[in-house]
C-alpha cells in the first residue's frame, strides 16, 4: 500500500487533560479492574507513566490498566492522539509530527522523570518522543509496538520484510478511503485481529470504540539518533498470539533494535484488555528495576 505524504502538521498546543480524560474513559468503559496486592507499597519507587495508544484506538483502551498502576501509587497520564478517541483535532492534522508534539507536550506539563509506554502504532510515537525528550525519560516500554529504526517507516519495514510471508490482517481488513488518506477498521473483524484472547464482552466493548485513522503516519519516517534516542532504556512486551503485529514482525524489529529486556505474554494484540494484571506486573517489574 502506498501512503501519500502531505504537508506536515503545524505545531499545536492542544493537550488533553490526561487525568480527567482517563477518569472519563474508566467511567465509560464499565470494565472494573481487580486491585493488585498491596505489598509494602510505600517502599516502592513512585513512577509517572505516559501511555500512548495505537491506530484506531484512543485512551479508552487503557481503562483496565490505569487503576492497577495507580493502586501501586504511580501517576498515569493517557492522552488521546490528535483526531483519535474523540479528540477534536481535524483528522487532516494527524501524523507522526502532531502525535509526537501531543505526547511531548504532555510530558512537558509533568514534573519529574517519565516512563513512556507505547502500544502498536504508538510505538512509532514513543520512539520519536524518546528522540525529542531523552532526558525526561526513565525508559520506554513497547507493548506489541512498532519498534522501527532511523529513517524507517512502517511502509518501508513491511517492504523490507516481505520474505517473512506474513498474512497481515490489519492491512488485509482495514478499509482505506478512495483518496488513500484515512482508514477505518470493520468492527466485525476487530475481535479476530485485535482482541482474539479477550473475553467476548470486552472485545465487543472495544470494537465499538474504534475510530478512523489517518494513514500518513504509516509512511512517515522516524528521525532518530544514537545520542538521543539511543540513550533511553527500552523494554518490549511481545504477544505470542498477536494477530495484528505478527510475532514474526516483532522478532524482526527486535533483531534490528535490541531492547534491554523482552517479555512474552501468551496473548493477543491487546493485553491491556485480555491480560491487564499480567501486563501490569511486567510494567511494575520494569519500574522496580529502574528504581
Amino acid at each position: 500500500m502506498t501512503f501519500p505524504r502531505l504537508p506536515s502538521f503545524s505545531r499545536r498546543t492542544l493537550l488533553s487533560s490526561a487525568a480527567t480524560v482517563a477518569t472519563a474513559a474508566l467511567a465509560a468503559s464499565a470494565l472494573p479492574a481487580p486491585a493488585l496486592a498491596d505489598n509494602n507499597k510505600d517502599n516502592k519507587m513512585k513512577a509517572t507513566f505516559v501511555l500512548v495508544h495505537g491506530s484506531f484506538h484512543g485512551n479508552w483502551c487503557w481503562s483496565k490498566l490505569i487503576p492497577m498502576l495507580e493502586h501501586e501509587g504511580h501517576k498515569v497520564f493517557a492522552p488521546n492522539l490528535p483526531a483519535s478517541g474523540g479528540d477534536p483535532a481535524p483528522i487532516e492534522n494527524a501524523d507522526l509530527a502532531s502525535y509526537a508534539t501531543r505526547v511531548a507536550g504532555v510530558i512537558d506539563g509533568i514534573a519529574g522523570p517519565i516512563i513512556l509506554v507505547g502500544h502498536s502504532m504508538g510505538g512509532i510515537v514513543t520512539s520519536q518522543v524518546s528522540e525529542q525528550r531523552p532526558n525526561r525519560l526513565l525508559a520506554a516500554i513497547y507493548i506489541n509496538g512498532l519498534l522501527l529504526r532511523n529513517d524507517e517507516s512502517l511502509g518501508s519495514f513491511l517492504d523490507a520484510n516481505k520474505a517473512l510471508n506474513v498474512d497481515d490482517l490489519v492491512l488485509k481488513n482495514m478499509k482505506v478511503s478512495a483518496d488513500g488518506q484515512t482508514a477505518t477498521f470493520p468492527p466485525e473483524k476487530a475481535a479476530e485481529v485485535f482482541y482474539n484472547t479477550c473475553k467476548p464482552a470486552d472485545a465487543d466493548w472495544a470494537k465499538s470504540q474504534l475510530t478512523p485513522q489517518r494513514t500518513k503516519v504509516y509512511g512517515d519516517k522516524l528521525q532518530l539518533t544514537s545520542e538521543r534516542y539511543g540513550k533511553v532504556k527500552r523494554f518490549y512486551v511481545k504477544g505470542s498470539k498477536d494477530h495484528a503485529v505478527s510475532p514474526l514482525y516483532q522478532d524482526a524489529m527486535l533483531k534490528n533494535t535490541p531492547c534491554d529486556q523482552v517479555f512474552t505474554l501468551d496473548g493477543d494484540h491487546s493485553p491491556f484488555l485480555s491480560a491487564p494484571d499480567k501486563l501490569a506486573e511486567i510494567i511494575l517489574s520494569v519500574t522496580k528495576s529502574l528504581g
Side-chain angles (χ1 to χ4, degrees):
M1 178 179 295
T2 300
F3 300 106
R5 296 187 63 83
L6 299 182
S8 61
F9 171 70
S10 59
R11 185 173 182 85
R12 297 173 63 93
T13 56
L14 275 175
L15 299 178
S16 297
S17 175
T20 301
V21 176
T23 301
L26 290 171
S29 72
L31 295 173
L36 297 182
D38 186 2
N39 296 320
N40 299 317
K41 182 169 64 175
D42 292 337
N43 295 326
K44 296 177 182 178
M45 184 186 87
K46 301 302 186 289
T48 301
F49 298 95
V50 174
L51 312 181
V52 186
H53 65 79
S55 294
F56 308 106
H57 287 66
N59 64 1
W60 54 264
C61 72
W62 306 109
S63 61
K64 284 191 172 186
L65 181 66
I66 288 173
M68 294 182 174
L69 300 178
E70 290 181 335
H71 178 77
E72 296 300 302
H74 305 301
K75 295 180 180 179
V76 185
F77 295 82
N80 279 319
L81 295 177
S84 298
D87 180 82
I91 197 167
E92 294 81 9
N93 292 344
D95 59 9
L96 179 56
S98 67
Y99 291 169
T101 296
R102 171 66 55 84
V103 176
V106 171
I107 289 173
D108 291 344
I110 302 169
I114 306 293
I115 297 176
L116 191 57
V117 181
H119 172 248
S120 193
M121 179 275 291
I124 301 176
V125 184
T126 294
S127 294
Q128 196 60 66
V129 175
S130 295
E131 172 72 17
Q132 296 176 359
R133 300 292 189 275
N135 295 328
R136 295 296 317 281
L137 301 183
L138 283 174
I141 303 175
Y142 297 77
I143 302 171
N144 296 326
L146 298 179
L147 183 64
L148 305 178
R149 295 171 291 182
N150 177 52
D151 205 38
E152 192 171 41
S153 68
L154 175 59
S156 66
F157 171 83
L158 295 177
D159 287 343
N161 288 276
K162 287 181 178 179
L164 294 176
N165 293 317
V166 171
D167 185 16
D168 193 316
L169 295 180
V170 176
L171 292 180
K172 182 177 180 178
N173 288 291
M174 73 181 191
K175 306 300 183 183
V176 180
S177 62
D179 62 6
Q181 298 302 302
T182 59
T184 56
F185 204 87
E188 65 272 15
K189 294 292 185 179
E192 172 192 356
V193 179
F194 297 140
Y195 315 117
N196 47 291
T197 66
C198 287
K199 295 178 180 178
D202 290 353
D204 288 343
W205 172 77
K207 69 185 184 182
S208 72
Q209 309 295 317
L210 299 177
T211 50
Q213 170 67 49
R214 192 178 182 212
T215 59
K216 184 175 182 292
V217 68
Y218 304 138
D220 287 344
K221 293 183 178 181
L222 281 162
Q223 300 300 315
L224 308 175
T225 64
S226 58
E227 294 79 13
R228 297 178 66 82
Y229 168 74
K231 70 185 293 184
V232 178
K233 291 181 178 291
R234 294 185 300 272
F235 299 84
Y236 199 96
V237 182
K238 291 176 53 179
S240 63
K241 296 176 181 176
D242 190 339
H243 290 176
V245 179
S246 166
L248 291 175
Y249 283 154
Q250 294 185 50
D251 288 340
M253 291 185 290
L254 286 164
K255 182 178 179 180
N256 292 338
T257 307
C259 291
D260 291 79
Q261 193 169 358
V262 177
F263 303 87
T264 300
L265 285 175
D266 184 30
D268 61 18
H269 187 60
S270 307
F272 39 73
L273 292 179
S274 60
D277 52 344
K278 294 179 181 178
L279 179 60
E281 288 174 5
I282 290 173
I283 293 174
L284 293 171
S285 73
V286 169
T287 304
K288 183 177 180 181
S289 74
L290 297 170

